[in-house]
Amino acid sequence: MRIAILSRSQSIYSTQRLVEAAQARDHEVRVVDTLRCYMNIASARPTIHYRGEQLAPFDAVIPRIGASITFYGTAVLRQFEMIGTFPLNESVAVTRSRDKLRSLQLLARRGIGMPVTGFARAPDDIGDVIEMVGGPPLVVKLLEGTQGIGVVLCETRKAAESVLEAFMGLNVSIMVQEYIKEAGGADIRCFVIGDKVVAAIKRQAPPGEFRSNLHRGGNADVVKITPQERAVATRAARIMGLNVAGVDILRSNHGPLVMEVNSSPGFEGIEQATSKDIADLIIQFLEKNARKDRTRTRGKG
Ligand code: ADP
Ligand code: MG
């Protein structure tokens, strides 16, 4: 196969691993810098151009689109889909996953458990929303935050009110969430490929921190997940329309709660903790599934 990896740089761990895995399985692979793609969108025969050349069609494209370039990155991915390239994750699903509120609404509609979550716009509604999620302690999140930045634990009503007022004053979108204390600063990252959880790690926040993100100093250990957690993770990925996803789960007193579903989950922490060859499993998935013009949401924007 001819495989394109949409990524800002060859030297990113996950990108590097995908290149190695594709080459090891005798595929032709090329890393394409997402921001250097430009395209003719109006033509009857859409094209993608790259640093002055027109790209010959690929059989499959692996999007590794960073949160800061979601808008342009998903437009480029959509163009690949328009010319019939099979996307590992399709543009619509990537777009959904980047908006925490939209994702949670989609998952809630299908009965996936999640922390009680409120959403409001006007400062006058702050008091009610705090009540709605069960009062303090609670978590306030920026809708488009990532790597734990923009996630704040408010232990008192006063703190919650001030943080909510401040964010609303800045005109950013936020949600308010019940704090799952019993998770103890840990979450479970389930790496889903197709309809399977291929690896899972428990990420533990350092002392004094509740966010378990590895970027926030959390550490990762292999973990055995329950059949219920396995089922929730694969269902969540399927509902989002993602073939490959990092599904983050909090272990609560009333079972697994999905916190978020990542469409470009990194491999480094999970490969090192579990010794699983995630990159190879992804290439194998493409070998089995890549077909021309097989985007499930093709034409749905
Ligand atoms: P990001 O997209 O920035 O990673 P998350 O929603 O994943 O944001 O939150 C970051 C971390 O904060 C999570 O990995 C988890 O450890 C902790 N966390 C988030 N929401 C809650 C919650 N409702 N209760 C307890 N811990 C939470
Ligand atoms: Mg997270």
Side-chain angles (χ1 to χ4, degrees), residues 19 24 110 125 130 146 153 158 184 188 194 202 224 246 279 286 299:
V19 169
R110 306 288 300 277
D125 302 323
I130 292 176
T146 177
L153 173 61
K158 265 272 140 299
I188 310 290
K202 180 173 178 170
K224 196 166 158 42
L286 288 179

Side-chain angles (χ1 to χ4, degrees), residues 1-3 19-29 283 287:
M1 279 193 294
R2 262 173 60 76
I3 302 173
V19 169
E20 285 166 14
Q23 285 170 346
R25 298 183 70 85
D26 281 334
H27 298 294
E28 188 185 330
V29 59
I283 302 300
E287 289 171 1

Side-chain angles (χ1 to χ4, degrees), residues 89-107:
N89 278 332
E90 57 193 275
S91 56
V92 177
V94 174
T95 307
R96 283 180 193 141
S97 75
R98 288 298 159 80
D99 177 339
K100 286 179 200 266
L101 180 66
R102 183 177 178 187
S103 310
L104 290 185
Q105 285 177 318
L106 275 169
L107 297 172

Side-chain angles (χ1 to χ4, degrees), residues 1 28 34 37 41 48 54 58 65 69-70 80 128 130 137 139 150 173 184 192 235 251 294:
M1 279 193 294
E28 188 185 330
T34 319
C37 292
I41 58 169
I48 302 170
Q54 184 179 327
F58 289 91
I65 297 170
I69 62 157
T70 299
F80 274 92
D128 254 8
I130 292 176
V139 176
S173 297
V192 178
R235 268 199 77 209
R251 284 182 162 165
R294 228 181 60 175

